[in-house]
């Protein structure tokens, strides 16, 4: 419940009072925390307080998270798609859109979306999810895992990469 996030919220509120210029980013963090623990009312209440201070991209992201909290995956996907249209490099929006597609039962579309996000970011959790979806779709997609491996090893800092996320 929301009791488990109270220490984090207390700390974030302290940051907000110590650094007033951080008020909007702190509010966004608190809103996401409330949504993640299912306290939708508190999250929506805070969102109402800062909505007019957010960019269009931030409004769409927060509305997408709100829809996820309500289990409205199609609407959430639409919000995340608008974010990607506003900012094609927003990997978080792309990943959340892919998750929404998965919840809507659109496995192939979700894979395509995750693959697109992997061109923006090679975050290990993104790759773990993508590889899991490849496995879910078919065992024959081992080739796709090796293409991801090739993408990772072509980067200059690949030595420190957690390759276990690829589940090879």
């Amino acid at each position: 419940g929301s009791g488990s996030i109270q220490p984090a919220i207390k700390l974030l509120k302290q940051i907000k009072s110590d650094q007033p210029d951080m008020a909007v980013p702190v509010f966004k963090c608190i809103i996401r925390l409330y949504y993640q623990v299912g306290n939708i009312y508190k999250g929506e209440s805070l969102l109402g307080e800062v909505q007019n201070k957010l960019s269009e991209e931030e409004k769409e992201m927060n509305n997408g998270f709100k829809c996820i909290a309500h289990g409205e995956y199609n609407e959430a996907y639409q919000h995340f798609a608008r974010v990607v249209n506003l900012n094609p490099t927003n990997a978080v929006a792309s990943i959340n859109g892919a998750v929404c597609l998965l919840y809507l039962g659109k496995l192939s579309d979700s894979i395509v979306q995750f693959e697109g996000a992997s061109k923006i970011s090679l975050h290990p959790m993104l790759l773990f999810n993508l590889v899991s979806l490849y496995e879910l779709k078919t065992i024959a997609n081992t080739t796709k895992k090796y293409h991801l491996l090739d993408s990772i090893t072509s980067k200059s800092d690949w030595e420190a990469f957690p390759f276990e996320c690829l589940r090879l």
Side-chain angles (χ1 to χ4, degrees), residues 57-136:
E57 183 178 348
E58 292 170 322
K59 286 178 187 176
E60 291 290 349
M61 284 294 291
N62 279 296
N63 286 326
F65 293 132
K66 179 173 74 172
C67 288
I68 286 176
H70 280 287
E72 299 165 346
Y73 299 107
N74 191 48
E75 292 82 1
Y77 173 76
Q78 298 305 319
H79 287 290
F80 295 128
R82 285 193 284 277
V83 171
V84 172
N85 283 335
L86 290 168
N87 179 1
T89 64
N90 189 323
V92 174
S94 189
I95 292 165
N96 278 286
V99 170
C100 290
L101 289 169
L102 189 58
Y103 275 101
L104 292 168
K106 299 178 178 182
L107 177 61
S108 294
D109 292 342
S110 181
I111 289 172
V112 168
Q113 182 101 6
F114 268 115
E115 287 173 336
S118 73
K119 289 175 177 53
I120 301 167
S121 168
L122 289 174
H123 189 279
M125 187 49 77
L126 180 157
L127 298 176
F128 177 82
N129 286 325
L130 180 55
V131 167
S132 297
L133 294 181
Y134 286 160
E135 289 175 355
L136 186 59

Side-chain angles (χ1 to χ4, degrees), residues 9-168:
I9 289 175
K10 184 177 179 183
L11 178 64
L12 287 166
K13 286 181 177 178
Q14 182 63 48
I15 292 169
K16 183 177 68 93
S17 67
D18 290 347
Q19 300 177 34
D21 58 314
M22 294 296 295
V24 172
V26 168
F27 267 121
K28 290 184 338 189
C29 288
I30 294 171
I31 291 165
R32 290 235 1 232
L33 285 171
Y34 279 130
Y35 287 158
Q36 286 179 344
V37 297
N39 193 336
I40 299 166
Y41 174 78
K42 280 262 209 183
E44 287 177 347
S45 175
L46 276 179
L47 182 57
E49 289 181 37
V50 296
Q51 190 81 358
N52 63 343
K53 297 176 183 158
L54 300 177
S55 69
E56 192 61 31
E57 183 178 348
E58 292 170 322
K59 286 178 187 176
E60 291 290 349
M61 284 294 291
N62 279 296
N63 286 326
F65 293 132
K66 179 173 74 172
C67 288
I68 286 176
H70 280 287
E72 299 165 346
Y73 299 107
N74 191 48
E75 292 82 1
Y77 173 76
Q78 298 305 319
H79 287 290
F80 295 128
R82 285 193 284 277
V83 171
V84 172
N85 283 335
L86 290 168
N87 179 1
T89 64
N90 189 323
V92 174
S94 189
I95 292 165
N96 278 286
V99 170
C100 290
L101 289 169
L102 189 58
Y103 275 101
L104 292 168
K106 299 178 178 182
L107 177 61
S108 294
D109 292 342
S110 181
I111 289 172
V112 168
Q113 182 101 6
F114 268 115
E115 287 173 336
S118 73
K119 289 175 177 53
I120 301 167
S121 168
L122 289 174
H123 189 279
M125 187 49 77
L126 180 157
L127 298 176
F128 177 82
N129 286 325
L130 180 55
V131 167
S132 297
L133 294 181
Y134 286 160
E135 289 175 355
L136 186 59
K137 187 161 183 181
T138 176
I139 294 300
N141 277 308
T142 303
T143 306
K144 290 188 176 197
K145 288 185 186 182
Y146 288 107
H147 287 302
L148 279 174
L149 183 62
D150 189 47
S151 294
I152 294 163
T153 57
S154 69
K155 305 289 183 209
S156 61
D157 59 346
W158 66 269
E159 291 90 358
F161 193 83
F163 287 97
E164 62 275 5
C165 74
L166 296 179
R167 296 168 47 168
L168 292 172

